[in-house]
Amino acid sequence: MVGLTSAAGLVGFLSEPDPELRVFALKKLDEEIDLLWTEIAGSVGQIEALYEDESFPERELAALVAAKVYYHLQEYNESMVFALGAGKLFNLDREGEFEDTIVSKCVDTYIALSAMHNPATPASTVNQPPLQLTTAFPQNTAGGANASVASPTMPFSQSSLPSKSLLSRQAVTPTFDPSLPGGGNAGVAGAHPAPLALQRTIQKNLQHVIEQLFERCFQAGRYRQVVGIAIEARNLDILRRTILRASEDQKKEESTSINGVAGRGEELMEYVLDICMDVVQERNLRNEILKLILELLNDIPNPDYFSIAKCVVYLNEHAMASQILRQLVEKGDARSLAVAYQISFDLYDNGTQEFLTSVREELPGVEEESQAPASEDAANNGENAQETDQLLSELQERADAHAPTAQSKADTSLTEEQKKAYASIRKIIRGTASIELNMEFLYRSNHTDKNILNKIRDSLEARNSIFHTAVTFANAFMNAGTTSDAFFRENLEWLGKAVNWSKFTATAALGVIHKGNLGQGQKLLEPYLPRDTAVTGSVYSQGGSLFALGLIYANHGTHVLDYLRHHFKQASEEVVQHGGALGLGVAGMATGSEEIFEDLKAVLYQDSALNGEAVGLAMGLVMLGTGNMTALEGMIQYAHDTQHEKIVRGLALGMALIMYGRQEAADELINGLLDDPDPTLRYGGIMTLGMAYCGTSSNKAIRKLLHVAVSDVSDDVRRAAVMTLGFILFRKPTSVPRMVELLSESYNPHVRYGAAMALGISCAGTGLEEAIDLLEPMLKDPADFVRQGALISLSLIMIQQNEAMNPKVATIRKTLSKVISDRHEDAMAKFGCAIALGIIDAGGRNCTVSLQTQTGNLNMAAIVGMAVFTQYWYWFPLTHFLSLSFTPTAIIGLDQELEVPSFKLYSATRPSMFDYPPEQEVKTDEAPEKVKTAVLSTTAQAKRRAQKKEKQQRRESMDIDQTPTTPRTSQLPGDAMDTDEDKKKEDKSDVEKKEGEKEGTPAAESSKKKTEKEKVGYELENMSRVLPGQVKFISFPESRYEPVKKPTGGVLLLVDTEPSEPKSLIELKSKKQAAPAPSEPSQTLEERINAAYSERNRQLETPGGAAQAAGVLTAVDEDEEGGEEAECPREFDYHTDEEME
């Protein structure tokens, strides 16, 4: 049958009074709507009238036809409304573009309506009252006349960006609104269009369509689609129902399921958790979802404890964490105990000191008290033999030596096994176990290339303090955590050229090298640390030693905080106060200690620019992430009162650290700081924005940063705005190159530097080619500091990369080597190159830079370390903070006894894929050879001519021809110079040739082996270097040891399936060493400590590495004010010859 070619007749039937004719016309039009909709569009009003006529029998059919007409007219809102009015005639099971479009529009409308009924609540109104800082920022008048006058931005910056931005669909607002959630993605109000005003019947039909859609997803097992809609709609009831439905379906299929395979409920729970942590930007919604997950996980008979632990850390529910640990210990079996230990390790990796202390105190049993490794009395009376014996005995007590004084209530009902388990859990949560294991790995796997260090030292003039400091940083980073300070011992003459702040930096470098050396770190620094007695030695080495002590106990300084506080308060020299403040801040990170904060504030009010900057930073480190409003009020007020820019900068960065991870709760502070006329405080506002929204990928924060980056009048603020993009987007590194591509070509060199650093921060350790392509042209930038930033960023990106992973590694390493040795290169670029060479081989080539933990949470210490490291622009000693971002890359397997068994891992890759990069080749300088007597070629030619002439004469004078003897010189080439050594060289070459021929066969075989493809798969010993990208290829072939969770980097608990069988353990090498620093073989630990105590009074004959450096670094500089004067020489006696006789 031929189809209709015109709809004119059918459209005419719509005006007929007979209902049957109108119904017939609608049915025919519905069938041919795709071909005839252009003619029907003019009569859509009549079709709508039929739908609105309640007496018409086929109203739903009229609605369906009208919906299809509006669909072809691309009026999707009207089409959806009429499609919903069609009721049952709108068939979801039918596949077609019309149905798919209407369903999509229904979902968007449902999400918008549901989000409107569940409005976003800022996290600041949930956890604490919003900040009231209006008195501290009088200029923040939001559009008033004062704001336009005092505004720090250019006039054109007041215009808002286009509403349809590349970053989000949400309209741009000129300032942050605390009532709005923090982004433009899932779960954020404003991400979807305003909902339509629908009639009640239409809303019911919409709900019915959505329910049908959900049921179809449930039947097909597509639970994730429903989860996405529920989170977008902020409807937790749907989310709960989806998870429970997945669990019920799993139970129905348990009879046919395979054991050991994760069920639907577990997979869905893991998916929801990932979405919650990585996609949801609003903090309050994330908290509500996590609480729902916790509630559902606790109802499951065999819950996923690792997912629970992840939620608990984020929600700061320390009581629930301790309850989980108690439940696992009470079960008593080996697997439960191993799970408890694994959770403890995860808690330590992801939790703050304050959180971990609360968990430790809530565990049952009594935590034994112990003294700090070095008390104040020991520091004051170091030469006392009894004190020394006590120190030596404390070194043997690994667990007790680091126990804090906090106690928990005793529980007499505990068994011996449970007491032992709780003691082990306390040790893990305290961090002692993780730090010891990481230090052991770095110690035994150290692959530092000393040739690179020596080349840096030889290329940079040590008398220049900038270059001396650069070599110090390179040495510290290369040997970070390895306890190898041999470079100082082998270069005492170079070290002696350090003066003033270079000496401060060199002493602090010992803290980076011995980071985590909890047992001997403080004893090793004993020669440098200040004493309460008469001050001797350089104040710069004393201040640097306090900073080094804080770095050794970074984020783990419970039992050295009192020691640092004591010397900080007793210090009268500004340099010592400066180092003490930095040490207190890094050791007391995130403790929230009011006592330390008050001590720091007392020194701040002395209004000294030198120590004020360090004190302001330390105040932020101690109150890290607490959002303490009282502390912020005082810091803001003093920042406006003081006249010292250094103090203002320290306070600005400290306020940013206090707001770490606070997101919407920091918006009020960000508004005030960004509207301040002082560029230093606006710089602090940018850093606050970066710390508050770090890792969230918040579109609102990104828009604000991009706006400031192109509008602020201060180069420092613009540079910081671009650089902070790296902190916001480090979880999505692939999006950063595209975002900063144009900024990297800006006319402003500060913006270009910020773009380079943003790439390095966000793409650290990834080897991302797009980022490298943007950074390589910057190596030839006319601005020296831009080249400096490009070199540092390249090293951050290429850390732990080899040629198999990234072919550009060799080229970049050659570039670094060329820059450092180029005499015509600018000092700033060479300084950055030295730091880059240290970063790319960090931790003996066994560390990477990662701003998130192995479990996916934010790595607080790494983020803070990176943020403070970027302040090296203003103050070089802050460069040492980058060591907090170094993460060892290893898999360390432990059994349920917390011992390190010896077993094999299997890596399903080629050995060269993740191997160490080759060491740099050193060109040996050959000794010049003696020049032998040479025979000139002209002389040889003259001899040949004379002999030829003589021979010719003999032939002419004699009848018998004689056979001429060939002269020896005729064998020599005519144009070559003859030497006496030629024959020897020829003989030597012949011998080498023969040897080469003899060894030809194995050499050929080895070359063939290299050309052949490597065999895929090889074995690794436990506690081996495993890169993050290699983890997915790791398996456990041995059946005896089974991991309790999916393998990740770091410490991994194993279940011993054959506990009765004997096991072999890995011997811990670092524990056997008397001291971690290299020392003479004949020197015992007691001798070393005694030598350290008396270092200031006498010179040792055979000192260790750091001890020998102490004699150089503690020496008072000649030009130092208030320094010790040299003793006058005694009068000499003159003896005559007669007296001698």
Side-chain angles (χ1 to χ4, degrees):
M1 179 179 178
V2 180
L4 295 176
T5 58
S6 175
L10 295 175
V11 170
F13 285 166
L14 296 178
S15 303
E16 294 293 329
D18 188 358
E20 293 183 0
L21 289 177
R22 287 182 286 182
V23 170
F24 172 77
L26 289 174
K27 289 181 178 180
K28 289 297 182 181
L29 291 175
D30 181 41
E31 294 175 0
E32 304 292 339
I33 191 70
D34 294 335
L35 298 176
L36 306 177
W37 67 269
T38 52
E39 298 182 53
I40 305 173
S43 304
V44 69
Q46 297 179 357
I47 301 175
E48 289 185 26
L50 294 177
Y51 166 69
E52 294 171 357
D53 185 3
E54 296 182 358
S55 61
F56 186 64
E58 294 291 342
R59 294 181 58 211
E60 294 179 350
L61 181 59
L64 181 61
V65 174
K68 292 182 178 182
V69 172
Y70 280 117
Y71 163 74
H72 286 289
L73 292 172
Q74 297 185 2
E75 296 290 342
Y76 299 123
N77 287 332
E78 288 79 0
S79 178
M80 180 200 66
V81 171
F82 283 106
L84 292 175
K88 297 180 180 180
L89 294 182
F90 178 62
N91 188 7
L92 292 178
D93 296 331
R94 181 180 176 183
E95 296 182 359
E97 292 184 3
F98 169 71
E99 287 76 13
D100 293 342
T101 303
I102 298 304
V103 167
S104 177
K105 195 64 183 178
C106 288
V107 171
D108 288 343
T109 305
Y110 171 79
I111 291 173
L113 287 171
S114 182
M116 183 183 65
H117 292 299
N118 299 283
T121 305
S124 59
T125 62
V126 177
N127 300 330
Q128 63 181 23
L131 296 177
Q132 300 294 332
L133 299 173
T134 53
T135 57
F137 297 105
Q139 292 87 356
N140 187 13
T141 55
N146 294 334
S148 61
V149 175
S151 174
T153 54
M154 299 177 184
F156 63 82
S157 67
Q158 300 299 326
S159 60
S160 59
L161 296 174
S163 59
K164 297 293 184 181
S165 171
L166 290 174
L167 303 174
S168 174
R169 293 173 289 179
Q170 184 179 356
V172 177
T173 55
T175 58
F176 275 14
D177 184 358
S179 63
L180 294 177
N185 288 343
V188 177
H192 300 280
L196 300 172
L198 302 179
Q199 298 178 0
R200 188 176 300 274
T201 55
I202 300 299
Q203 290 187 12
K204 290 182 178 179
N205 291 340
L206 175 64
Q207 186 68 30
H208 179 68
V209 169
I210 295 297
E211 290 295 332
Q212 282 185 307
L213 184 63
F214 287 169
E215 187 62 31
R216 291 172 59 188
C217 291
F218 291 154
Q219 293 177 359
R222 299 194 297 266
Y223 304 99
R224 296 187 177 188
Q225 297 182 6
V226 183
V227 166
I229 295 175
I231 293 178
E232 288 274 0
R234 307 174 57 85
N235 194 327
L236 299 185
D237 293 334
I238 297 296
L239 183 61
R240 180 195 301 270
R241 171 185 159 193
T242 305
I243 297 175
L244 294 177
R245 176 65 179 269
S247 300
E248 293 176 359
D249 294 345
Q250 178 185 348
K251 291 179 181 178
K252 295 178 182 178
E253 299 176 0
E254 277 183 355
S255 57
T256 58
S257 63
I258 303 175
N259 293 332
V261 178
R264 293 181 177 179
E266 297 174 1
E267 291 180 355
L268 186 62
M269 197 80 72
E270 184 178 355
Y271 173 75
V272 173
L273 186 59
D274 292 340
I275 290 295
C276 180
M277 301 302 296
D278 298 336
V279 178
V280 177
Q281 296 182 2
E282 187 197 341
R283 191 178 184 189
N284 182 41
L285 177 61
R286 186 186 296 125
N287 291 346
E288 293 177 357
I289 296 175
L290 289 176
K291 290 177 181 178
L292 173 63
I293 294 175
L294 276 179
E295 180 184 348
L296 296 175
L297 285 173
N298 290 328
D299 294 338
I300 298 176
N302 296 317
D304 183 1
Y305 288 105
F306 302 110
S307 298
I308 295 177
K310 195 172 183 179
C311 299
V312 163
V313 171
Y314 186 86
L315 294 174
N316 201 27
E317 295 284 348
H318 51 81
M320 186 172 293
S322 58
Q323 179 183 356
I324 293 172
L325 295 175
R326 285 197 301 268
Q327 291 176 357
L328 291 169
V329 172
E330 289 172 358
K331 288 185 177 180
D333 60 298
R335 176 170 288 275
S336 298
L337 198 60
V339 171
Y341 291 156
Q342 184 68 66
I343 290 176
S344 301
F345 278 110
D346 292 346
L347 291 177
Y348 173 74
D349 289 339
N350 301 313
T352 63
Q353 289 195 62
E354 185 179 12
F355 173 81
L356 297 174
T357 301
S358 301
V359 174
R360 198 167 61 243
E361 291 175 350
E362 292 170 356
L363 292 175
V366 178
E367 188 167 5
E368 298 180 1
E369 294 184 7
S370 65
Q371 298 180 355
S375 62
E376 296 176 11
D377 296 336
N380 300 335
N381 304 314
E383 298 179 359
N384 192 315
Q386 294 181 355
E387 299 280 351
T388 305
D389 294 339
Q390 180 182 0
L391 291 173
L392 291 170
S393 63
E394 287 176 353
L395 288 176
Q396 307 300 327
E397 302 174 2
R398 293 181 301 163
D400 296 339
H402 312 292
T405 57
Q407 295 186 6
S408 56
K409 298 182 179 179
D411 190 349
T412 57
S413 62
L414 296 178
T415 63
E416 291 298 326
E417 294 181 357
Q418 291 177 343
K419 291 181 180 179
K420 181 181 177 181
Y422 285 126
S424 299
I425 290 175
R426 283 193 176 90
K427 179 181 178 181
I428 296 172
I429 294 179
R430 199 181 302 121
T432 307
S434 296
I435 293 174
E436 287 178 352
L437 291 170
N438 286 331
M439 188 184 71
E440 170 68 23
F441 162 69
L442 294 176
Y443 177 83
R444 66 192 296 138
S445 303
N446 186 7
H447 279 70
T448 301
D449 191 351
K450 291 184 179 180
N451 297 327
I452 298 177
L453 264 180
N454 293 332
K455 182 173 183 179
I456 299 174
R457 179 205 59 202
D458 297 337
S459 301
L460 302 180
E461 177 56 47
R463 283 177 290 186
N464 189 327
S465 62
I466 295 178
F467 290 159
H468 194 286
T469 302
V471 179
T472 301
F473 290 140
N475 174 43
F477 291 159
M478 283 189 185
N479 295 287
T482 63
T483 71
S484 173
D485 55 9
F487 182 78
F488 283 157
R489 180 184 61 208
E490 297 168 357
N491 298 275
L492 289 178
E493 181 180 356
W494 166 84
L495 191 61
K497 297 179 182 179
V499 294
N500 298 337
W501 288 104
S502 296
K503 189 172 293 185
F504 178 95
T505 305
T507 309
L510 292 172
V512 178
I513 295 172
H514 293 276
K515 182 176 181 292
N517 190 2
L518 306 181
Q520 293 90 15
Q522 190 168 350
K523 317 303 182 303
L524 182 126
L525 291 175
E526 202 64 45
Y528 308 89
L529 292 169
R531 299 190 182 185
D532 294 337
T533 56
V535 177
T536 58
S538 172
V539 294
Y540 292 97
S541 65
Q542 294 177 20
S545 65
L546 292 176
F547 184 22
L549 186 62
L551 290 170
I552 290 176
Y553 294 90
N555 201 23
H556 183 76
T558 306
H559 61 279
V560 296
L561 288 178
D562 292 337
Y563 180 85
L564 289 169
R565 282 184 62 196
H566 170 75
H567 286 289
F568 175 71
K569 290 189 294 185
Q570 294 294 325
S572 58
E573 296 287 342
E574 291 183 344
V575 178
V576 180
Q577 289 179 336
H578 183 95
L582 293 177
L584 266 177
V586 70
M589 188 187 303
T591 56
S593 173
E594 294 286 349
E595 294 80 6
I596 299 177
F597 187 83
E598 292 299 325
D599 293 339
L600 293 169
K601 187 190 295 184
V603 176
L604 176 69
Y605 289 159
Q606 295 177 7
D607 203 42
S608 169
L610 183 59
N611 54 30
E613 182 178 19
V615 168
L617 173 60
M619 293 167 73
L621 288 171
V622 172
M623 291 292 176
L624 179 63
T626 60
N628 191 310
M629 186 174 64
T630 304
L632 288 171
E633 286 284 359
M635 295 171 73
I636 294 170
Q637 187 63 41
Y638 194 77
H640 284 115
D641 294 341
T642 186
Q643 300 298 318
H644 297 292
E645 182 182 352
K646 291 173 71 68
I647 296 180
V648 176
R649 184 179 299 111
L651 290 171
L653 186 57
M655 288 186 285
L657 295 176
I658 291 177
M659 282 301 179
Y660 167 82
R662 305 297 294 180
Q663 297 186 19
E664 298 90 358
D667 288 349
E668 184 70 17
L669 177 63
I670 293 171
N671 284 334
L673 290 175
L674 291 181
D675 287 343
D676 198 281
D678 187 351
T680 307
L681 285 179
R682 297 203 304 277
Y683 180 94
I686 294 296
M687 295 302 298
T688 305
L689 179 58
M691 292 295 98
Y693 288 91
C694 60
T696 61
S697 304
S698 169
N699 291 335
K700 182 178 68 173
I702 293 171
R703 284 195 305 272
K704 191 65 178 178
L705 291 174
L706 292 175
H707 179 65
V708 174
V710 298
S711 63
D712 201 280
V713 295
S714 171
D715 286 336
D716 288 347
V717 179
R718 297 178 68 179
R719 182 183 68 248
V722 181
M723 182 175 61
T724 306
L725 289 171
F727 290 102
I728 304 294
L729 291 167
F730 67 79
R731 281 183 168 172
K732 297 180 179 179
T734 55
S735 62
V736 179
R738 178 176 57 87
M739 188 172 298
V740 302
E741 183 176 2
L742 293 178
L743 295 173
S744 66
E745 300 174 359
S746 171
Y747 72 93
N748 191 324
H750 292 267
V751 175
R752 299 200 299 270
Y753 172 87
M757 292 301 294
L759 290 169
I761 293 169
S762 60
C763 305
T766 62
L768 193 64
E769 293 184 1
E770 291 84 352
I772 298 172
D773 292 340
L774 288 179
L775 289 171
E776 283 181 331
M778 293 187 182
L779 296 177
K780 301 178 182 179
D781 196 277
D784 52 357
F785 60 85
V786 176
R787 299 198 299 274
Q788 180 189 77
L791 290 167
I792 294 176
S793 296
L794 275 175
S795 65
L796 288 170
I797 296 172
M798 302 303 289
I799 188 172
Q800 285 198 329
Q801 299 281 317
N802 58 22
E803 292 191 40
M805 301 168 66
N806 195 318
K808 293 186 177 180
V809 171
T811 304
I812 291 174
R813 285 185 176 270
K814 288 181 181 178
T815 302
L816 294 176
S817 179
K818 180 181 178 182
V819 171
I820 201 68
S821 58
D822 187 358
R823 296 182 179 180
H824 304 288
E825 185 60 79
D826 293 327
M828 293 187 69
K830 297 179 80 170
F831 178 84
C833 186
I835 295 179
L837 286 169
I839 293 173
I840 202 170
D841 290 335
R845 297 184 172 180
N846 292 304
C847 287
T848 187
V849 175
S850 177
L851 301 189
Q852 53 184 341
T853 63
Q854 299 283 356
T855 55
N857 287 10
L858 297 180
N859 190 341
M860 180 189 68
I863 294 172
V864 172
M866 182 65 74
V868 182
F869 162 73
T870 58
Q871 307 308 305
Y872 81 89
W873 179 279
Y874 304 102
W875 192 233
F876 283 160
L878 298 181
T879 308
H880 283 311
F881 272 86
L882 183 62
S883 61
L884 301 181
S885 302
F886 294 157
T887 304
T889 53
I891 287 184
I892 305 175
L894 300 181
D895 59 13
Q896 55 265 34
E897 300 295 331
L898 295 184
E899 295 176 333
V900 186
S902 176
F903 68 94
K904 300 293 184 181
L905 303 171
Y906 182 78
S907 177
T909 60
R910 296 183 177 88
S912 62
M913 184 64 185
F914 299 100
D915 197 8
Y916 289 98
E919 292 190 0
Q920 184 176 1
E921 296 180 359
V922 181
K923 296 181 180 179
T924 57
D925 297 332
E926 298 180 356
E929 297 182 357
K930 293 183 179 180
V931 178
K932 303 300 180 181
T933 304
V935 180
L936 298 178
S937 59
T938 55
T939 304
Q941 291 177 357
K943 287 182 179 180
R944 286 197 297 271
R945 285 196 299 268
Q947 291 174 356
K948 185 177 180 182
K949 185 176 181 180
E950 183 181 358
K951 181 178 65 173
Q952 186 67 24
Q953 290 177 354
R954 284 199 303 267
R955 287 181 177 176
E956 292 177 355
S957 62
M958 297 179 64
D959 297 332
I960 302 174
D961 295 337
Q962 298 179 357
T963 305
T965 57
T966 303
R968 189 174 180 182
T969 55
S970 64
Q971 298 174 359
L972 300 174
D975 297 332
M977 179 181 292
D978 301 330
T979 64
D980 299 338
E981 290 280 306
D982 286 343
K983 186 174 182 180
K984 297 180 180 179
K985 290 182 178 180
E986 290 176 2
D987 297 340
K988 185 177 179 181
S989 62
D990 292 340
V991 172
E992 291 176 353
K993 184 176 180 181
K994 291 179 181 178
E995 290 177 355
E997 291 174 355
K998 292 179 181 178
E999 298 174 357
T1001 304
E1005 291 179 358
S1006 61
S1007 61
K1008 288 181 180 179
K1009 289 181 180 178
K1010 291 181 180 179
T1011 56
E1012 291 178 359
K1013 291 185 177 180
E1014 290 182 275
K1015 183 180 179 181
V1016 177
Y1018 63 100
E1019 290 185 343
L1020 290 170
E1021 180 64 35
N1022 186 19
M1023 197 177 278
S1024 294
R1025 175 179 183 260
V1026 178
L1027 303 187
Q1030 188 180 3
V1031 173
K1032 58 186 177 182
F1033 300 105
I1034 295 296
S1035 59
F1036 293 78
E1038 295 187 13
S1039 59
R1040 177 169 182 176
Y1041 296 103
E1042 298 178 356
V1044 297
K1045 70 170 185 177
K1046 184 179 179 181
T1048 58
V1051 180
L1052 188 63
L1053 265 294
L1054 310 168
V1055 177
D1056 189 356
T1057 58
E1058 302 174 2
S1060 59
E1061 298 294 328
K1063 60 182 178 181
S1064 60
L1065 302 177
I1066 294 180
E1067 186 178 16
L1068 302 184
K1069 296 181 180 180
S1070 63
K1071 296 285 186 297
K1072 295 179 63 179
Q1073 299 295 325
S1079 59
E1080 297 295 333
S1082 60
Q1083 190 178 22
T1084 64
L1085 176 61
E1086 184 175 1
E1087 290 174 353
R1088 193 190 63 79
I1089 292 181
N1090 289 332
Y1093 282 144
S1094 57
E1095 180 62 33
R1096 289 189 175 97
N1097 302 323
R1098 64 186 179 88
Q1099 184 175 358
L1100 298 176
E1101 296 180 359
T1102 56
Q1108 191 169 358
V1112 178
L1113 293 177
T1114 57
V1116 181
D1117 299 330
E1118 293 181 1
D1119 57 347
E1120 184 177 332
E1121 296 181 0
E1124 293 180 341
E1125 295 183 357
E1127 296 182 2
C1128 296
R1130 62 181 179 85
E1131 296 182 0
F1132 61 89
D1133 297 330
Y1134 179 78
H1135 300 282
T1136 62
D1137 296 339
E1138 297 177 355
E1139 292 175 345
M1140 292 294 292
E1141 293 177 354

